[in-house]
Amino acid sequence: MEEFINYILKFGNLNKQQTDFLMSKAKTLELHKDEYFSEAGKIPRQVGFLLEGVIRFCYYNNKGEEITYSFSEENHFVSDQQKFEAQVVASEYIQAVTDCKLLVFSKKDWDEIGNTIVGWEAIKGLIEKNCLLKTIERRSPLVSEDATTRYLSFIEQFPGLVNRIPLSHIASYLGITQQSLSRIRKNIR
């Protein structure tokens, strides 16, 4: 739980009473590999902070193909934030790639934190901006690079994930087939 508080304190100052209040609203959730944290067609009910494991964000395109567009590992927030805040139906999936342990906050508790802790909205805004920038930063170069360069960029951005997640998810993220990924991996060894 210390990781969570340390993460929050990167974006603003909170006193002991405020961090204790924040932690009093958190519940622990364990997800098994392949279980969903949030599903398309359902309203997201919670925001999570990943303590252990790897999560992926994905959707199905108009051809019915599963597209992974982001990963999250330990010490990062996990949520479909816009849909969660608006309490509207999600259009994407958030799925455990490995067994995961998260701290979670219900919508009611998340709102109560915002109404109780002075300055929380500013902290939350900075966290959301940071998460968005990282997603854009990781994703945008992938569009213009060849497959080998995209894979090497993936290894650089997610050094701890290559051996933790299925190749099918990496291939989907890179926009290539699993066979192409196997060839690329073989050629760079």
Side-chain angles (χ1 to χ4, degrees):
M1 312 317 162
E2 192 179 317
E3 299 93 346
F4 173 68
I5 296 301
N6 290 339
Y7 181 86
I8 296 293
L9 293 177
K10 288 189 220 173
F11 300 97
N13 294 319
L14 296 176
N15 63 35
K16 174 102 170 80
Q17 184 181 4
Q18 291 168 318
T19 58
D20 287 348
F21 177 73
L22 191 57
M23 290 309 297
S24 76
K25 298 297 176 186
K27 293 182 179 38
T28 304
L29 172 70
E30 293 193 11
L31 287 178
H32 296 290
K33 180 182 176 186
D34 297 329
E35 285 186 325
Y36 291 101
F37 179 76
S38 176
E39 294 181 70
K42 297 181 179 178
I43 296 172
R45 299 287 179 206
Q46 54 199 3
V47 167
F49 183 80
L50 195 54
L51 297 171
E52 294 172 16
V54 179
I55 294 274
R56 75 181 180 121
F57 297 78
C58 60
Y59 63 91
Y60 288 88
N61 67 13
N62 57 6
K63 296 176 187 168
E65 300 165 326
E66 187 179 83
I67 308 294
T68 298
Y69 71 89
S70 188
F71 294 99
S72 197
E73 50 193 326
E74 289 88 356
N75 301 323
H76 289 91
F77 270 96
V78 174
S79 79
D80 187 339
Q81 197 61 32
Q82 288 180 320
K83 304 289 196 298
F84 172 78
E85 291 292 346
Q87 286 294 278
V88 296
V89 172
S91 55
E92 60 190 36
Y93 296 86
I94 302 174
Q95 183 183 36
V97 179
T98 64
D99 288 344
C100 295
K101 184 176 177 184
L102 302 101
L103 282 182
V104 294
F105 301 88
S106 67
K107 176 70 170 135
K108 177 182 168 284
D109 288 339
W110 196 247
D111 289 344
E112 194 175 327
I113 291 165
N115 294 329
T116 305
I117 297 178
V118 175
W120 178 252
E121 291 305 314
I123 291 171
K124 190 173 81 171
L126 290 171
I127 291 169
E128 288 171 11
K129 186 177 175 183
N130 181 59
C131 292
L132 184 62
L133 287 174
K134 280 189 176 167
T135 301
I136 291 169
E137 198 177 272
R138 289 175 169 171
R139 193 69 181 144
S140 56
L142 294 179
V143 179
S144 59
E145 297 170 341
D146 68 76
T148 302
T149 306
R150 290 196 307 258
Y151 179 64
L152 293 171
S153 294
F154 175 83
I155 293 171
E156 191 177 303
Q157 291 167 347
F158 299 104
L161 293 188
V162 175
N163 297 319
R164 291 177 73 187
I165 60 177
L167 291 182
S168 59
H169 295 330
I170 297 172
S172 172
Y173 177 79
L174 297 174
I176 60 176
T177 65
Q178 201 169 333
Q179 292 80 4
S180 295
L181 178 57
S182 293
R183 271 195 304 278
I184 290 166
R185 287 168 53 101
K186 187 177 167 188
N187 289 338
I188 58 176
R189 280 190 187 147

